[in-house]
Amino acid sequence: MSFFKKIFSSDKKDQNLTEEAKQTLDKGLEKSKSSFFSKLSKAVAGKSKVDDEVLDNLEEILVSSDVGVNTTLKIIERIEKRVANDKYLGTDELNQILREEIAGLLSETNQGNETEFNVPKTGEPYVIMVVGVNGVGKTTTIGKLASQYKKAGYTVVLGAADTFRAAAIDQLQIWADRVGVPIVKQQMGSDPASVAFDTLESAVKQNADVVIIDTAGRLHNKVNLMNELTKVKRVMQKVVTNAPHDVMLVLDGSTGQNAFEQAKQFTAATEVTSLAVTKLDGTAKGGVVIGISDQFQIPVKYIGVGEGIDDLQVFNKIEFVDSFFK
């Protein structure tokens, strides 16, 4: 069995999302798929084989689908090798070839293999510090993440360290009440590091499994942001030695190339260890997940594929590509 058949075979027991999650993913990617395949069908209309013109058109489609220039060039290069090796490839095979090559590209990184919400056992609360600009769905993602972790049997504590906006504290309180998890907060304008410190102290006392810390979503001054996040990290480590275990950057998938730019800015300002890409259901720019996953070599851990509380999913690259090319 070839590598590509292997990764799409039905015996990938440990890689399967539930049927319900698959249906949610399929529905969430509908706009992206519809846009992509309508462009693809026009590109190959009247063509019987994959030639230079088809490849040029395909390159344009991938870039316009927000896969990103660098990732697009890698995909095109892979398909050119297939064309050279196989001598003749019909356009009716293009969908399958694309599916295989994109999956192959993503499989080169050891990420996107999860199917469930779980955290490593550390013997102390597992601390996730969430960063991202305002408006990307940061607080909503935290709320949905708390809900999923609670469902998975973890005890969760939220920390409202985005003290720059009163609305951010209020919104996180609403989510904490909705999910039924405790929240630690102070007044607007309080020191974010102080809130983070209090949150971790509270989590340790409660013997909590997971702590999720919200942080201010501004990028107007990268140096200030860097200093603030560094201080928050340093203060947290006084309570939990290796905190934060994960610095998660939330990106709005519907902004396409702007999401790439935000990823660049934040990875320059702080050490980002994972990504959550939101709002994929309302956009035709789902290809951005492929590009971001490939370009930044930072694991895309979660994707938002709907507005419901359960519509935040773990990102599984095989299921994602499988759904995209169904």
Side-chain angles (χ1 to χ4, degrees):
M1 189 184 286
S2 74
F3 167 73
F4 296 112
K5 282 183 181 158
K6 212 179 282 179
I7 60 176
F8 283 114
S9 68
S10 56
D11 64 1
K12 48 182 172 56
K13 297 184 187 75
D14 60 338
Q15 293 184 329
N16 283 349
L17 297 174
T18 65
E19 280 308 314
E20 189 182 353
K22 284 181 186 178
Q23 285 170 16
T24 304
L25 180 61
D26 290 346
K27 192 177 174 191
L29 293 179
E30 263 172 17
K31 286 188 180 176
S32 293
K33 293 192 308 197
S34 170
S35 169
F36 182 83
F37 287 111
S38 96
K39 289 175 188 171
L40 189 62
S41 62
K42 284 176 191 168
V44 299
K47 292 278 188 180
S48 60
K49 69 171 188 169
V50 178
D51 57 17
D52 288 345
E53 189 183 346
V54 168
L55 289 172
D56 285 344
N57 290 339
L58 179 59
E59 187 175 320
E60 201 175 301
I61 292 165
L62 289 168
V63 171
S64 68
S65 299
D66 287 278
V67 171
V69 174
N70 292 333
T71 304
T72 292
L73 292 175
K74 285 185 188 178
I75 294 167
I76 294 296
E77 191 180 328
R78 283 170 166 267
I79 294 173
E80 281 175 340
K81 280 182 184 167
R82 289 280 291 271
V83 172
N85 289 339
D86 297 0
K87 300 302 176 207
Y88 180 90
L89 282 177
T91 49
D92 55 346
E93 299 169 80
L94 192 54
N95 181 4
Q96 179 65 19
I97 296 161
L98 263 171
R99 182 177 181 238
E100 291 173 355
E101 295 306 336
I102 289 172
L105 185 68
L106 295 184
S107 293
E108 288 176 0
T109 57
N110 188 27
Q111 59 188 45
N113 301 314
E114 296 293 328
T115 57
E116 294 172 359
F117 287 84
N118 52 41
V119 294
K121 288 182 180 173
T122 61
E124 54 191 358
Y126 185 83
V127 182
I128 303 167
M129 184 169 83
V130 183
V131 300
V133 299
N134 296 330
V136 296
K138 184 161 55 78
T139 313
T140 301
T141 298
I142 291 170
K144 290 180 179 180
L145 199 52
S147 174
Q148 293 285 12
Y149 279 135
K150 188 181 177 187
K151 269 189 187 173
Y154 295 107
T155 51
V156 183
V157 176
L158 302 183
D162 181 354
T163 57
F164 191 65
R165 295 180 307 132
I169 301 170
D170 294 343
Q171 195 186 358
L172 199 63
Q173 178 69 66
I174 290 166
W175 271 106
D177 294 342
R178 185 178 176 188
V179 177
V181 296
I183 180 174
V184 176
K185 61 182 183 177
Q186 293 178 14
Q187 295 301 311
M188 178 186 165
S190 304
D191 180 6
S194 169
V195 179
F197 182 87
D198 288 354
T199 306
L200 264 62
E201 273 205 326
S202 174
V204 168
K205 280 178 192 163
Q206 295 175 57
N207 201 23
D209 300 310
V210 183
V211 178
I212 310 175
I213 304 282
D214 191 12
T215 63
R218 57 194 193 279
L219 251 183
H220 67 274
N221 186 321
K222 208 172 1 178
V223 175
N224 283 355
L225 177 75
M226 193 184 299
N227 291 342
E228 184 178 290
L229 295 178
T230 301
K231 183 182 175 186
V232 170
K233 285 183 190 177
R234 190 172 64 244
V235 168
M236 284 198 290
Q237 286 167 2
K238 292 178 181 176
V239 187
V240 175
T241 316
N242 295 312
H245 302 93
D246 184 8
V247 178
M248 182 185 299
L249 172 61
V250 179
L251 298 169
D252 178 349
S254 70
T255 62
Q257 289 307 297
N258 196 33
F260 276 88
E261 194 51 42
Q262 285 175 25
K264 277 185 201 167
Q265 296 284 325
F266 267 98
T267 50
T270 190
E271 186 189 355
V272 174
T273 53
S274 72
L275 300 169
V277 184
T278 66
K279 306 183 187 181
L280 290 173
D281 55 306
T283 179
K285 298 174 184 288
V288 75
V289 176
I290 297 165
I292 284 173
S293 182
D294 170 57
Q295 286 301 301
F296 289 95
Q297 297 295 299
I298 297 169
V300 175
K301 271 195 182 174
Y302 307 107
I303 52 174
V305 288
E307 291 180 10
I309 195 166
D310 295 328
D311 293 340
L312 181 76
Q313 294 192 346
V314 291
F315 173 63
N316 182 285
K317 61 197 172 193
I318 301 303
E319 298 288 5
F320 183 87
V321 176
D322 213 5
S323 174
F324 198 89
F325 285 97
K326 255 182 192 165

